[in-house]
Amino acid sequence: MLKSIILSTLLLSLKITALPADNSTAYYKGLESSLMDNGLSGLWNAISTANQTESGQELIKKLYSDDKFTIYAPNNAAWASSNLTQPPANENLVSLLSYHIVKATLNSSTDIAPIRHHTIAFTELRTPTIDLPGDQTQVIVLETAVNQTTGQDVNDGSVLVRGDNWNATSSGNQFIYENLFIQPIDKPSPLLKTLSQTGLSLTANMGATSAISAISSSGLNETLSNHCHGCTFFIPVNNAFDQATQTTNFSNLPQNEKSSVILNHILNGSTLYSPDFKSGSAYVTSAGMPLLYLTDDNDGKQKVFIQVGKYRASILRSDIPVSNGVVHLIDTLMVVPQNNHDKADDAAKSAAHEAESRTTTTNVIGGGGHTATSTASGPSSSSTQSQSLGSSTINHDLGNVFKISLSALVLGALW
Ligand SMILES: *[C@@H]1O[C@H](CO)[C@@H](O)[C@H](O)[C@H]1NC(C)=O
Ligand SMILES: *[C@@H]1O[C@H](CO)[C@@H](O)[C@H](O)[C@H]1NC(C)=O
Ligand SMILES: *[C@@H]1O[C@H](CO)[C@@H](O)[C@H](O)[C@H]1NC(C)=O
Ligand SMILES: *[C@@H]1O[C@H](CO)[C@@H](O)[C@H](O)[C@H]1NC(C)=O
Ligand SMILES: *[C@@H]1O[C@H](CO)[C@@H](O)[C@H](O)[C@H]1NC(C)=O
Ligand SMILES: *[C@@H]1O[C@H](CO)[C@@H](O)[C@H](O)[C@H]1NC(C)=O
Ligand SMILES: *[C@@H]1O[C@H](CO)[C@@H](O)[C@H](O)[C@H]1NC(C)=O
Ligand SMILES: *[C@@H]1O[C@H](CO)[C@@H](O)[C@H](O)[C@H]1NC(C)=O
Ligand SMILES: *[C@@H]1O[C@H](CO)[C@@H](O)[C@H](O)[C@H]1NC(C)=O
């Protein structure tokens, strides 16, 4: 009796961890039918086309495994409107598909952060398409869709994929095939176009052209694109620049001090997304000065800002992925011309070391929207993850190594 219970428990657990389907032929046949049945023949077409390349084959082979994946599947209209009904079998197509696949299960109804918060999911898009340290992959930014009339979460399992100047929206219900959660969406990501540009390719309509030209005229293009392997960029919007030229001495600063001002808006070697930040954390900028991340809960509304020197900047928009890191738009140019090269070097080195030696990352941060956070924290909302994010492991606290303690910062004359 006992024996048989043990045996059946054993069998049960074997069954749970076993590969999906009986064999890979059956698995992919089943996937084809499932996609066809759900009106996603365009995706199947893209998959079979990508499978004609070596890297595509590798990607597609990954799906038949013990791991679970979520696929953000562009629907047929989406492929058509992007002129990708007959995509060419090349690396771009493989990258495009990779960017729509996450190695974790993300239930659209329960695992996505509510509006003004982000769920950051690490996709299968890796180097060389992107320039992030270690095995860190490019992220897809998700939030719960909003009813335009009420401004509230729709709450029907609709999700929004946030791009720089584009959004994709879920179209229809998420469904499951074997080990895959498949969420149809209305657009394949145009992100790859952005990624193929070098440098801080913020499009003009994001309203940060002044910062981009200040970076250029300070001769920092090369530094920020080729000597930044996974950076966090706090970029002031145009208003912030206009104001700073009137109310500060920024325009009159010598060139090297202007450069320091800009580098004081960047964290070198670590890519920090909104759920990574914790109130009170301190970081070291790429000019070597301390940068604080703070939240303010006045009036029940949370404001999120960063501080360098005496300057405080509110974060207006977070989590815009770029090829070598992430951009957060801010409302103030922090005119801090000081620098400390030793501190900057140390911070960059430990960030790089941390990134290279890290072998596993969690594949989702900032999940568990509806169950976890309601009116609570802003973009800093803790990365409470619901049960279904099962395949996520270890932790992604990139900041740890070069974060310094707040008390050291306040008490010590370290800086
Ligand atoms: C794969 O599984 C299918 C369905 O169970 C079966 O019909 C087929 O013979 C199997 N093929 C191989 C090569 O084992
Ligand atoms: C991908 O290509 C390989 C090699 O040609 C083939 O064995 C495999 O069945 C293909 N997979 C799919 C999903 O088309
Ligand atoms: C698709 O092709 C048509 C005709 O060539 C063109 O007008 C349209 O802009 C293209 N759309 C995209 C998204 O590239
Ligand atoms: C997601 O969660 C909801 C609520 O628990 C459940 O009804 C639904 O079936 C789940 N969806 C998938 C694809 O598992
Ligand atoms: C948005 O909210 C309004 C008012 O509650 C409702 O009538 C409408 O159907 C909602 N739209 C969607 C897309 O959920
Ligand atoms: C994308 O969605 C967000 C949140 O609803 C909205 O504020 C923004 O304007 C949208 N962007 C575009 C380009 O539609
Ligand atoms: C720097 O990059 C921007 C856009 O990313 C470009 O417009 C500018 O010409 C570049 N400047 C130099 C000096 O190459
Ligand atoms: C500009 O202002 C900053 C901060 O107020 C100050 O530290 C710096 O010395 C000033 N620089 C010049 C050239 O006036
Ligand atoms: C980042 O640090 C590396 C190593 O210290 C350095 O070579 C690079 O120029 C730095 N990049 C920036 C943007 O400060």
Side-chain angles (χ1 to χ4, degrees):
M1 176 66 174
L2 187 62
K3 232 183 194 169
S4 75
I5 290 174
I6 291 172
L7 190 64
S8 61
T9 314
L10 196 66
L11 283 175
L12 195 65
S13 63
L14 277 178
K15 201 169 164 129
I16 286 166
T17 56
L19 286 164
D22 291 344
N23 56 52
S24 72
T25 315
Y27 175 80
Y28 289 108
K29 267 246 142 320
L31 176 58
E32 177 178 8
S33 318
S34 173
L35 293 179
M36 294 297 177
D37 290 350
N38 285 282
L40 298 172
S41 57
L43 175 62
W44 177 252
N45 180 45
I47 288 175
S48 350
T49 306
N51 192 51
Q52 291 161 25
T53 70
E54 210 173 299
S55 58
Q57 246 174 60
E58 229 163 83
L59 174 72
I60 289 148
K61 255 188 358 213
K62 266 190 218 166
L63 299 178
Y64 180 65
S65 77
D66 285 339
D67 294 319
K68 294 193 170 172
F69 296 89
T70 301
I71 301 181
Y72 290 93
N75 61 23
N76 290 352
W79 294 103
S81 65
S82 308
N83 294 338
L84 288 169
T85 308
Q86 294 304 330
N90 60 23
E91 293 305 310
N92 282 345
L93 179 63
V94 178
S95 296
L96 180 68
L97 286 173
S98 309
Y99 188 63
H100 289 75
I101 301 176
V102 176
K103 193 159 81 178
T105 50
L106 275 164
N107 182 321
S108 295
S109 305
T110 55
D111 298 335
I112 307 299
I115 46 168
R116 287 184 295 279
H117 300 243
H118 291 157
T119 292
I120 306 289
F122 291 78
T123 69
E124 290 298 306
L125 182 61
R126 311 186 131 74
T127 51
T129 308
I130 52 160
D131 182 11
L132 297 173
D135 189 39
Q136 200 173 325
T137 63
Q138 188 53 277
V139 302
I140 195 166
V141 179
L142 302 157
E143 66 184 50
T144 299
V146 160
N147 180 323
Q148 295 303 340
T149 318
T150 61
Q152 302 294 311
D153 290 350
V154 175
N155 259 334
D156 64 352
S158 303
V159 293
L160 200 62
V161 180
R162 296 295 306 269
D164 48 6
N165 61 345
W166 56 271
N167 293 332
T169 312
S170 54
S171 65
N173 292 333
Q174 191 173 36
F175 61 94
I176 296 177
Y177 169 70
E178 299 276 351
N179 59 332
L180 311 177
F181 274 36
I182 300 171
Q183 173 62 65
I185 56 173
D186 67 355
K187 185 181 287 150
S189 157
L191 177 81
L192 294 172
K193 247 183 230 152
T194 313
L195 294 185
S196 64
Q197 293 160 21
T198 54
L200 252 189
S201 42
L202 285 176
T203 47
N205 58 0
M206 300 203 52
T209 44
S210 303
I212 300 304
S213 56
I215 289 168
S216 170
S217 61
S218 301
L220 286 171
N221 270 14
E222 159 83 2
T223 309
L224 298 199
S225 49
N226 298 340
H227 302 283
C228 239
H229 310 292
C231 285
T232 304
F233 304 95
F234 294 99
I235 301 291
V237 296
N238 290 342
N239 259 347
F241 249 91
D242 295 346
Q243 240 172 35
T245 49
Q246 283 162 26
T247 61
T248 74
N249 61 8
F250 179 71
S251 312
N252 303 325
L253 292 178
Q255 196 44 251
N256 64 328
E257 293 192 2
K258 269 189 187 152
S259 294
S260 291
V261 169
I262 291 167
L263 293 176
N264 270 321
H265 289 74
I266 293 160
L267 307 179
N268 186 1
S270 58
T271 314
L272 298 174
Y273 303 97
S274 56
D276 288 317
F277 292 112
K278 304 277 175 288
S279 189
S281 296
Y283 306 87
V284 177
T285 69
S286 85
M289 303 304 287
L291 178 150
L292 295 183
Y293 178 88
L294 299 162
T295 54
D296 183 0
D297 275 316
N298 269 351
D299 306 334
K301 263 203 168 170
Q302 195 184 50
K303 277 196 88 172
V304 179
F305 49 92
I306 54 170
Q307 174 163 358
V308 179
K310 63 178 184 183
Y311 292 88
R312 279 189 174 188
S314 288
I315 296 180
L316 298 175
R317 184 165 165 205
S318 54
D319 304 321
I320 303 164
V322 291
S323 62
N324 64 338
V326 62
V327 167
H328 307 290
L329 296 177
I330 56 173
D331 72 348
T332 305
L333 177 70
M334 303 178 292
V335 191
V336 176
Q338 286 82 15
N339 65 54
N340 182 328
H341 294 305
D342 290 345
K343 291 262 189 278
D345 267 3
D346 286 352
K349 284 206 185 88
S350 49
H353 178 75
E354 160 86 344
E356 291 301 332
S357 61
R358 190 160 28 94
T359 51
T360 334
T361 64
T362 176
N363 288 323
V364 177
I365 53 175
H370 294 291
T371 49
T373 42
S374 46
T375 55
S377 39
S380 66
S381 72
S382 66
S383 42
T384 338
Q385 294 172 8
S386 66
Q387 289 299 329
S388 63
L389 305 181
S391 47
S392 305
T393 42
I394 323 293
N395 81 68
H396 165 79
D397 205 352
L398 275 168
N400 259 348
V401 163
F402 64 104
K403 251 183 225 167
I404 50 171
S405 85
L406 189 60
S407 58
L409 188 81
V410 172
L411 301 173
L414 268 167
W415 305 90

